[in-house]
Amino acid sequence: MNYLGEIISLAVACSWTVTALVSEIGTKRIGVLNFNVWRLFTAMLFTAILVFCLTGSIGPQYAGPKTWLWMGLSGFVGFFFGDFCLFKSYVYISSRYGQLFMTLAPAASAVAAWLAIGEVMSWMNVLAMLVTLLGIAIVIAPSNSAEGGKKTSGLFGTTVRNGIIGGLYGIGAAIGQGLGLVLSKIGMECYENDIPVSALRDMEHIIPFAANMIRCLVGFACFLAVVLIGRGGKRLAIAIADRKTSLSVFLAVMFGPFLGVAFSLMAVQLTKVGIAQTLMALTPILIILPSYWLFKQPITLRGVIGAAISVVGASMFFW
């Protein structure tokens, strides 16, 4: 069990592959904002039920003001900003290529950890960033399409404009996830300090789930506020009535903010932030085959090599 954190991180990568695919379907049907409102509401509900069954409390028991502050910031940065950017990238360049940009998350988390909690960076970190960027550049580099020599971005036939917009959203998503993970680590340390010594042993493995509930609450509140300000409440209510949408929301929740994110927080508890983030960054490799089966996205040698180089670069960041 010495590698429990690493095993959980790999499981999270598989979980995020599933949620990326179903989220692409859901966001294209009802929009990024509506999809995230229902996704985070459902995740918060499921997490509350789980926490109640385990602790008898409907909320994060013993959590103090500092825990709420740091986990709330993590929810805003990771769920609201990060997930908004991620799902917008799905609209422009698909989940397969949106996830490719998430290989930048280890760099973002390492830089954030260096600034916030003093984790050391070295020359190898800079080299790792360059390798990761090289892999992404190989995939997204403009090329002439087979039809009339029309220039595309390299991102599954998207135009250069859509490739640039989607890429910028992808970078924003990586920054949101990386920074959000570091904020979560700080928040969970505060949570451990809030729990009485007599109860810590029983609460130790529940902390990631209870802490994640705070993240879901803040993310949900932010997305809902944006929808209501934009007077989209009626469309929000209609959106969930669609059967395919409801199924995509359920699957996205189960494998995303409910199990995926909670277990990612657990992985951070059990191993170093960098190791956990590197293993969780394998999704761009794992998603290639399912994208081909579901969306008929062709598997090209350039795409596979670029994704592999990006994942290697993310791994090098923590050698």
Coordinates of all heavy atoms in Angstrom, one line a residue, residues 176-236:
G176 N -6.2 26.9 -13.8 CA -7.3 26.8 -12.8 C -7.1 25.5 -12.0 O -7.2 25.5 -10.7
Q177 N -6.9 24.4 -12.7 CA -6.7 23.1 -12.0 C -5.5 23.1 -11.1 O -5.5 22.6 -10.0 CB -6.7 21.9 -13.0 CG -6.7 20.6 -12.3 CD -6.5 19.4 -13.2 OE1 -5.5 19.4 -13.9 NE2 -7.5 18.5 -13.2
G178 N -4.4 23.5 -11.7 CA -3.1 23.5 -11.0 C -3.1 24.3 -9.7 O -2.8 23.9 -8.6
L179 N -3.6 25.6 -9.8 CA -3.7 26.4 -8.7 C -4.8 25.9 -7.7 O -4.6 26.0 -6.5 CB -4.1 27.9 -9.1 CG -4.2 28.9 -8.0 CD1 -2.9 29.0 -7.1 CD2 -4.5 30.3 -8.6
G180 N -5.9 25.4 -8.2 CA -6.9 24.9 -7.3 C -6.5 23.7 -6.5 O -6.9 23.6 -5.3
L181 N -5.6 22.9 -7.1 CA -5.1 21.7 -6.3 C -4.2 22.2 -5.1 O -4.3 21.6 -4.0 CB -4.3 20.8 -7.3 CG -4.0 19.4 -6.8 CD1 -5.3 18.6 -6.6 CD2 -3.0 18.7 -7.7
V182 N -3.4 23.2 -5.4 CA -2.5 23.7 -4.3 C -3.4 24.3 -3.2 O -3.1 24.1 -2.0 CB -1.5 24.7 -4.8 CG1 -0.7 25.3 -3.7 CG2 -0.6 24.0 -5.8
L183 N -4.4 25.1 -3.6 CA -5.3 25.7 -2.6 C -6.0 24.7 -1.8 O -6.2 24.8 -0.6 CB -6.3 26.6 -3.3 CG -5.7 27.9 -4.0 CD1 -6.8 28.6 -4.8 CD2 -5.2 28.9 -2.9
S184 N -6.4 23.5 -2.5 CA -7.0 22.4 -1.8 C -6.1 21.8 -0.8 O -6.5 21.4 0.3 CB -7.5 21.4 -2.8 OG -8.5 21.9 -3.6
K185 N -4.8 21.7 -1.1 CA -3.9 21.1 -0.2 C -3.7 21.9 1.1 O -3.7 21.4 2.2 CB -2.5 20.9 -0.9 CG -1.5 20.2 -0.1 CD -0.2 20.0 -0.8 CE 0.9 19.2 0.0 NZ 0.5 17.8 0.2
I186 N -3.7 23.2 0.9 CA -3.6 24.1 2.0 C -4.9 24.0 2.9 O -4.9 23.9 4.1 CB -3.4 25.6 1.6 CG1 -2.1 25.7 0.8 CG2 -3.5 26.5 2.8 CD1 -1.9 27.1 0.2
G187 N -6.0 24.0 2.2 CA -7.3 23.9 2.9 C -7.5 22.6 3.7 O -8.0 22.6 4.8
M188 N -7.0 21.5 3.1 CA -7.2 20.2 3.8 C -6.2 20.1 5.0 O -6.5 19.5 6.0 CB -6.9 19.0 2.9 CG -8.1 18.8 1.9 SD -8.0 17.3 1.0 CE -6.5 17.6 0.0
E189 N -5.1 20.8 4.9 CA -4.2 20.9 6.1 C -4.9 21.7 7.2 O -4.8 21.3 8.4 CB -2.9 21.5 5.7 CG -2.0 20.6 4.8 CD -0.7 21.3 4.3 OE1 -0.6 22.5 4.6 OE2 0.1 20.6 3.7
C190 N -5.6 22.8 6.8 CA -6.3 23.5 7.8 C -7.4 22.7 8.4 O -7.7 22.7 9.6 CB -6.9 24.8 7.2 SG -5.7 26.0 6.6
Y191 N -8.1 21.9 7.6 CA -9.2 21.0 8.0 C -8.7 20.0 9.0 O -9.3 19.8 10.1 CB -9.8 20.3 6.8 CG -11.2 19.7 7.0 CD1 -11.9 19.1 6.0 CD2 -11.8 19.8 8.3 CE1 -13.1 18.6 6.2 CE2 -13.1 19.3 8.5 CZ -13.7 18.7 7.4 OH -15.0 18.2 7.6
E192 N -7.5 19.4 8.8 CA -6.9 18.5 9.7 C -6.7 19.1 11.1 O -6.9 18.5 12.1 CB -5.6 17.9 9.2 CG -5.9 16.9 8.0 CD -4.5 16.3 7.6 OE1 -3.5 16.6 8.2 OE2 -4.6 15.5 6.6
N193 N -6.2 20.4 11.0 CA -6.0 21.1 12.3 C -7.3 21.5 13.0 O -7.3 21.6 14.2 CB -5.2 22.4 12.0 CG -3.8 22.1 11.5 OD1 -3.2 21.1 11.9 ND2 -3.2 23.0 10.7
D194 N -8.4 21.6 12.3 CA -9.7 21.9 12.9 C -10.3 20.7 13.6 O -11.0 20.9 14.6 CB -10.7 22.4 11.8 CG -10.3 23.7 11.2 OD1 -9.6 24.5 11.9 OD2 -10.7 24.0 10.1
I195 N -10.0 19.5 13.2 CA -10.6 18.3 13.7 C -9.9 18.0 15.1 O -8.7 17.9 15.2 CB -10.4 17.1 12.8 CG1 -11.2 17.5 11.5 CG2 -11.0 15.9 13.4 CD1 -10.9 16.4 10.4
P196 N -10.7 17.7 16.1 CA -10.2 17.3 17.4 C -9.3 16.1 17.3 O -9.6 15.2 16.5 CB -11.4 17.1 18.3 CG -12.5 17.9 17.6 CD -12.2 17.9 16.2
V197 N -8.3 16.0 18.1 CA -7.4 14.8 18.0 C -8.1 13.5 18.2 O -7.9 12.5 17.6 CB -6.3 15.0 19.1 CG1 -5.4 13.7 19.1 CG2 -5.4 16.2 18.8
S198 N -9.1 13.5 19.1 CA -9.9 12.3 19.4 C -10.7 11.8 18.2 O -11.0 10.6 18.1 CB -10.8 12.6 20.6 OG -11.7 13.7 20.3
A199 N -11.0 12.8 17.3 CA -11.9 12.4 16.2 C -11.1 12.3 14.9 O -11.6 11.8 13.8 CB -13.0 13.4 16.0
L200 N -9.8 12.6 14.9 CA -9.0 12.7 13.7 C -8.9 11.3 13.0 O -8.9 11.2 11.8 CB -7.6 13.3 14.0 CG -6.7 13.5 12.7 CD1 -7.4 14.5 11.7 CD2 -5.4 14.1 13.2
R201 N -8.7 10.3 13.8 CA -8.5 9.0 13.2 C -9.7 8.5 12.4 O -9.6 7.9 11.3 CB -8.2 8.0 14.3 CG -7.8 6.6 13.8 CD -7.3 5.7 14.9 NE -7.0 4.4 14.4 CZ -6.5 3.4 15.1 NH1 -6.3 3.6 16.4 NH2 -6.2 2.2 14.6
D202 N -10.9 8.8 12.9 CA -12.1 8.4 12.3 C -12.4 9.3 11.1 O -13.1 8.9 10.1 CB -13.3 8.5 13.2 CG -13.2 7.4 14.4 OD1 -12.6 6.4 14.1 OD2 -13.7 7.7 15.5
M203 N -12.0 10.5 11.1 CA -12.3 11.5 10.0 C -11.2 11.6 8.9 O -11.5 12.2 7.9 CB -12.4 12.9 10.7 CG -13.7 13.1 11.5 SD -15.1 13.4 10.4 CE -14.7 14.9 9.6
E204 N -10.1 10.9 9.1 CA -8.9 11.1 8.2 C -9.3 10.9 6.8 O -8.9 11.6 5.9 CB -7.8 10.2 8.7 CG -6.5 10.5 7.9 CD -5.3 9.7 8.5 OE1 -5.6 8.8 9.4 OE2 -4.2 9.9 8.0
H205 N -10.0 9.8 6.5 CA -10.2 9.4 5.1 C -11.5 10.1 4.6 O -11.8 9.9 3.4 CB -10.4 7.9 5.0 CG -9.1 7.1 5.4 ND1 -8.0 7.3 4.7 CD2 -8.9 6.2 6.4 CE1 -7.0 6.5 5.2 NE2 -7.6 5.9 6.3
I206 N -12.2 10.8 5.4 CA -13.4 11.5 5.0 C -13.1 12.9 4.6 O -13.9 13.6 3.9 CB -14.5 11.5 6.1 CG1 -14.8 10.0 6.5 CG2 -15.8 12.2 5.7 CD1 -15.6 9.9 7.7
I207 N -11.9 13.4 5.0 CA -11.6 14.8 4.8 C -11.7 15.2 3.3 O -12.2 16.3 3.0 CB -10.1 15.1 5.4 CG1 -10.2 15.1 6.9 CG2 -9.6 16.4 4.8 CD1 -8.8 15.3 7.5
P208 N -11.1 14.5 2.4 CA -11.2 14.9 1.0 C -12.6 15.1 0.5 O -12.9 16.0 -0.3 CB -10.5 13.8 0.2 CG -9.6 13.1 1.2 CD -10.3 13.2 2.5
F209 N -13.6 14.2 0.9 CA -14.9 14.3 0.5 C -15.7 15.5 1.1 O -16.4 16.2 0.4 CB -15.7 13.0 0.8 CG -15.1 11.8 0.1 CD1 -14.2 11.0 0.7 CD2 -15.5 11.5 -1.2 CE1 -13.7 9.8 0.1 CE2 -15.0 10.4 -1.9 CZ -14.1 9.6 -1.2
A210 N -15.5 15.6 2.4 CA -16.1 16.8 3.1 C -15.5 18.1 2.6 O -16.3 19.1 2.4 CB -15.9 16.7 4.6
A211 N -14.2 18.1 2.3 CA -13.6 19.4 1.8 C -14.1 19.6 0.4 O -14.3 20.8 0.0 CB -12.1 19.2 1.8
N212 N -14.3 18.6 -0.4 CA -14.7 18.8 -1.8 C -16.1 19.3 -1.8 O -16.5 20.0 -2.8 CB -14.7 17.4 -2.5 CG -14.9 17.6 -4.0 OD1 -14.4 18.5 -4.6 ND2 -15.8 16.7 -4.6
M213 N -16.9 19.1 -0.8 CA -18.3 19.6 -0.7 C -18.3 21.1 -0.7 O -19.1 21.8 -1.3 CB -19.0 19.1 0.6 CG -20.4 19.4 0.6 SD -21.2 18.6 2.0 CE -22.9 19.3 1.9
I214 N -17.3 21.7 0.0 CA -17.1 23.2 0.0 C -16.8 23.7 -1.4 O -17.3 24.7 -1.8 CB -16.0 23.6 1.0 CG1 -16.4 23.1 2.4 CG2 -15.8 25.1 1.0 CD1 -15.3 23.4 3.5
R215 N -15.9 23.0 -2.1 CA -15.5 23.4 -3.4 C -16.8 23.4 -4.3 O -17.0 24.3 -5.1 CB -14.5 22.4 -4.0 CG -13.2 22.4 -3.2 CD -12.2 21.5 -3.9 NE -11.5 22.2 -5.0 CZ -11.1 21.7 -6.2 NH1 -11.5 20.4 -6.4 NH2 -10.5 22.4 -7.1
C216 N -17.5 22.3 -4.2 CA -18.7 22.1 -5.1 C -19.7 23.3 -4.8 O -20.3 23.8 -5.7 CB -19.4 20.8 -4.8 SG -18.5 19.4 -5.5
L217 N -19.9 23.6 -3.5 CA -20.9 24.6 -3.1 C -20.5 26.0 -3.7 O -21.3 26.7 -4.3 CB -20.9 24.7 -1.6 CG -21.8 25.8 -1.0 CD1 -23.2 25.7 -1.4 CD2 -21.7 25.9 0.5
V218 N -19.2 26.3 -3.6 CA -18.8 27.6 -4.1 C -18.8 27.6 -5.6 O -19.3 28.6 -6.2 CB -17.3 27.9 -3.7 CG1 -16.8 29.1 -4.4 CG2 -17.3 28.1 -2.1
G219 N -18.4 26.6 -6.3 CA -18.5 26.5 -7.8 C -19.9 26.6 -8.3 O -20.2 27.3 -9.2
F220 N -20.8 25.8 -7.6 CA -22.2 25.9 -8.0 C -22.8 27.3 -7.8 O -23.5 27.8 -8.7 CB -23.0 24.9 -7.1 CG -24.5 25.1 -7.1 CD1 -25.3 24.7 -8.2 CD2 -25.2 25.6 -6.0 CE1 -26.6 24.9 -8.2 CE2 -26.5 25.8 -6.0 CZ -27.3 25.4 -7.1
A221 N -22.5 27.9 -6.7 CA -23.1 29.3 -6.4 C -22.6 30.3 -7.5 O -23.4 31.1 -7.9 CB -22.6 29.7 -5.0
C222 N -21.3 30.1 -7.9 CA -20.8 31.1 -8.9 C -21.5 30.9 -10.3 O -21.9 31.8 -10.9 CB -19.3 30.9 -9.0 SG -18.3 31.4 -7.6
F223 N -21.6 29.6 -10.7 CA -22.2 29.3 -12.0 C -23.7 29.7 -12.0 O -24.2 30.3 -12.9 CB -22.1 27.9 -12.3 CG -20.8 27.5 -13.0 CD1 -19.9 26.7 -12.3 CD2 -20.5 28.0 -14.2 CE1 -18.7 26.3 -12.9 CE2 -19.2 27.7 -14.8 CZ -18.4 26.8 -14.2
L224 N -24.4 29.4 -10.9 CA -25.8 29.8 -10.8 C -26.0 31.3 -10.8 O -27.0 31.8 -11.4 CB -26.4 29.2 -9.5 CG -27.9 29.5 -9.2 CD1 -28.7 28.8 -10.3 CD2 -28.3 28.9 -7.9
A225 N -25.2 32.0 -10.1 CA -25.3 33.5 -10.1 C -25.1 34.0 -11.5 O -25.9 34.9 -11.9 CB -24.2 34.1 -9.2
V226 N -24.2 33.5 -12.3 CA -24.0 34.0 -13.7 C -25.2 33.7 -14.5 O -25.6 34.6 -15.3 CB -22.7 33.4 -14.3 CG1 -22.6 33.7 -15.7 CG2 -21.5 33.8 -13.5
V227 N -25.8 32.5 -14.4 CA -27.0 32.1 -15.1 C -28.1 33.0 -14.8 O -28.9 33.5 -15.7 CB -27.3 30.7 -14.9 CG1 -28.7 30.3 -15.5 CG2 -26.3 29.7 -15.5
L228 N -28.4 33.3 -13.5 CA -29.5 34.1 -13.1 C -29.3 35.5 -13.4 O -30.3 36.2 -13.8 CB -29.7 33.9 -11.5 CG -30.1 32.5 -11.0 CD1 -30.3 32.5 -9.5 CD2 -31.4 32.1 -11.7
I229 N -28.1 36.0 -13.4 CA -27.9 37.4 -13.8 C -28.1 37.6 -15.3 O -28.7 38.6 -15.7 CB -26.4 37.8 -13.5 CG1 -26.2 38.0 -11.9 CG2 -26.0 39.1 -14.1 CD1 -24.8 38.2 -11.5
G230 N -27.8 36.5 -16.0 CA -28.1 36.6 -17.5 C -29.5 36.2 -17.8 O -29.9 36.0 -19.0
R231 N -30.4 36.0 -16.8 CA -31.8 35.7 -16.9 C -32.0 34.4 -17.7 O -32.9 34.3 -18.6 CB -32.6 36.8 -17.7 CG -32.5 38.1 -16.9 CD -33.3 39.2 -17.6 NE -33.3 40.5 -16.8 CZ -33.9 41.6 -17.2 NH1 -34.6 41.6 -18.3 NH2 -33.9 42.7 -16.4
G232 N -31.2 33.4 -17.3 CA -31.2 32.1 -18.0 C -31.9 31.0 -17.2 O -31.7 29.8 -17.4
G233 N -32.6 31.4 -16.1 CA -33.3 30.5 -15.2 C -34.2 29.5 -15.9 O -34.3 28.3 -15.6
K234 N -35.0 30.1 -16.8 CA -36.0 29.2 -17.5 C -35.4 28.2 -18.4 O -35.8 27.0 -18.3 CB -36.9 30.1 -18.4 CG -38.1 29.4 -19.0 CD -39.0 30.3 -19.8 CE -40.1 29.6 -20.5 NZ -41.0 30.5 -21.2
R235 N -34.4 28.6 -19.1 CA -33.6 27.6 -19.9 C -32.9 26.6 -19.1 O -32.8 25.4 -19.5 CB -32.6 28.3 -20.8 CG -32.0 27.4 -21.8 CD -31.3 28.2 -22.9 NE -30.7 27.3 -23.9 CZ -29.4 27.0 -23.9 NH1 -28.6 27.5 -23.0 NH2 -28.9 26.2 -24.8
L236 N -32.5 27.0 -17.9 CA -31.8 26.1 -17.0 C -32.7 25.0 -16.6 O -32.3 23.8 -16.5 CB -31.3 26.9 -15.8 CG -30.6 26.1 -14.7 CD1 -29.3 25.5 -15.2 CD2 -30.3 27.0 -13.5

